[in-house]
Amino acid sequence: MTENDLMLTSILDCRRVDLALNKGYLTSSQKLKCDLMKARRAEGEPLQYILGQCDFMGTALSVDQRALIPRPETEILVDLAIEKIKSMREEKTLNVLDLGVGSGNITIALLKNIVNITITALDISDDALALAKENASANYVEQKIQFSCRDMLAYLKDSAHSGKMFDVIVSNPPYIPAGLIHELPEDVRREPRIALDGGEDGLRFYRTIIEYGWQILDPKGFLIMEIGDGQHDAIESIFARYPRYAVIHFYKDYVGTKRVVIARMDAQWKN
Ligand code: GLN
């Protein structure tokens, strides 16, 4: 669908096929809405913020400037996480930790696809958490989520000290090197910097998550993260500092870039 069609289906609250039937007829208020949307877009705002919605794993999620817009590549992480969690065949309810929940896309998709899990959904941004809560309640999964507005490092340290354990950790952390943010397309730069900025080399959050991950993961559990372009070698070297990780495996995205990493402590694991 073209951006214009997406704006029209949103304004008319109809499907694409219905646009042909409508024959381009808009009331004056619909025309005004359409012009406003086009003006916002021309001014560089991301299309999804203008529409107020985006599709993730077949679910319409509300999106706005409070959080990062879910990307199609992140569906690869979710598909892998679903497959691996289901293959654990546990009878008990599994505890999942989502570090940097953003709009709630990963957490909600996991809960919609797997019955026996509960998720601790962490974000440093109150705004992002408010949006994630709205999305969770619109999808009837909020009772299975414990939301926490915390800095990830502080949370991981506390959990490691208190012996709190998880079966699975998922994360799509900010991973753009700080110095490259100004080179991102105009619309991406409209997304919250806090959701993009991965520190000087983009690896800041991986260092934190990998350092503490093994300390709070069940030995049969796993850590699954989305990674940035070309970061796999550096991330592999970070994992190598912590010998408790026995198996590290990278998975490619639709264009052949290594996009997701899964780490396990259990050397028996075969991907
Ligand atoms: N995938 C986003 C982008 O490249 C970045 C998301 C992130 O930092 N986790 O625009």
Side-chain angles (χ1 to χ4, degrees):
M1 253 200 280
T2 62
E3 291 203 351
N4 196 47
D5 283 355
L6 283 164
M7 289 179 192
L8 289 174
T9 50
S10 160
I11 291 165
L12 297 167
D13 193 18
C14 70
R15 296 165 306 160
R16 189 189 181 191
V17 287
D18 301 324
L19 289 180
L21 301 174
N22 175 273
K23 295 192 179 20
Y25 176 78
L26 294 178
T27 64
S28 53
S29 83
Q30 287 166 340
K31 167 99 179 57
L32 187 65
K33 270 191 196 163
C34 191
D35 289 345
L36 282 174
M37 282 185 167
K38 284 183 182 160
R40 285 169 67 184
R41 186 71 185 120
E43 199 253 321
E45 199 171 338
L47 178 68
Q48 294 88 339
Y49 286 170
I50 298 169
L51 301 174
Q53 261 198 356
C54 90
D55 177 272
F56 187 76
M57 305 276 305
T59 297
L61 296 176
S62 293
V63 285
D64 56 36
Q65 61 290 340
R66 288 176 288 177
L68 190 85
I69 298 163
R71 306 286 202 271
E73 305 88 272
T74 308
E75 296 184 347
I76 299 171
L77 176 152
V78 173
D79 279 334
L80 285 164
I82 293 170
E83 180 195 320
K84 306 297 173 199
I85 293 172
K86 286 190 171 167
S87 74
M88 290 167 83
R89 293 183 210 289
E90 293 284 350
E91 297 298 319
K92 61 167 188 161
T93 297
L94 298 173
N95 289 318
V96 177
L97 174 62
D98 182 355
L99 293 169
V101 70
S103 65
N105 57 324
I106 298 175
T107 280
I108 292 165
L110 291 179
L111 287 167
K112 287 187 79 161
N113 284 280
I114 311 169
V115 263
N116 64 328
I117 55 169
T118 59
I119 303 192
T120 301
L122 199 87
D123 209 290
I124 196 167
S125 159
D126 251 332
D127 278 348
L129 276 179
L131 178 62
K133 282 178 193 166
E134 286 165 31
N135 279 320
S137 104
N139 284 282
Y140 310 105
V141 291
E142 77 274 27
Q143 351 55 279
K144 290 193 165 185
I145 308 175
Q146 209 191 336
F147 291 97
S148 178
C149 188
R150 293 286 304 277
D151 167 67
M152 136 177 1
L153 175 60
Y155 181 84
L156 288 168
K157 271 188 181 165
D158 280 359
S159 301
H161 286 139
S162 69
K164 189 163 172 46
M165 298 296 276
F166 292 92
D167 297 287
V168 179
I169 300 175
V170 294
S171 187
N172 174 19
Y175 55 61
I176 309 290
L180 296 183
I181 289 188
H182 72 279
E183 289 177 17
L184 293 171
E186 165 76 25
D187 50 359
V188 179
R189 278 185 282 127
R190 297 294 188 92
E191 295 181 82
R193 186 178 174 114
I194 200 172
L196 294 166
D197 188 340
E200 203 179 331
D201 58 2
L203 301 168
R204 181 175 152 215
F205 294 96
Y206 299 110
R207 289 196 189 86
T208 301
I209 298 171
I210 295 169
E211 177 178 355
Y212 288 94
W214 64 271
Q215 304 181 45
I216 62 166
L217 265 178
D218 182 274
K220 281 195 283 173
F222 63 91
L223 163 61
I224 176 166
M225 298 185 288
E226 181 170 320
I227 66 168
D229 290 21
Q231 290 178 330
H232 54 278
D233 283 344
I235 287 173
E236 200 158 23
S237 334
I238 302 173
F239 273 115
R241 288 183 217 150
Y242 305 95
R244 284 293 305 281
Y245 294 106
V247 190
I248 316 292
H249 197 84
F250 291 91
Y251 298 82
K252 292 181 179 168
D253 63 15
Y254 312 113
V255 294
T257 301
K258 289 182 179 164
R259 183 60 66 202
V260 175
V261 60
I262 303 188
R264 304 229 183 192
M265 268 90 76
D266 177 4
Q268 303 305 313
W269 179 60
K270 305 267 180 295
N271 54 74

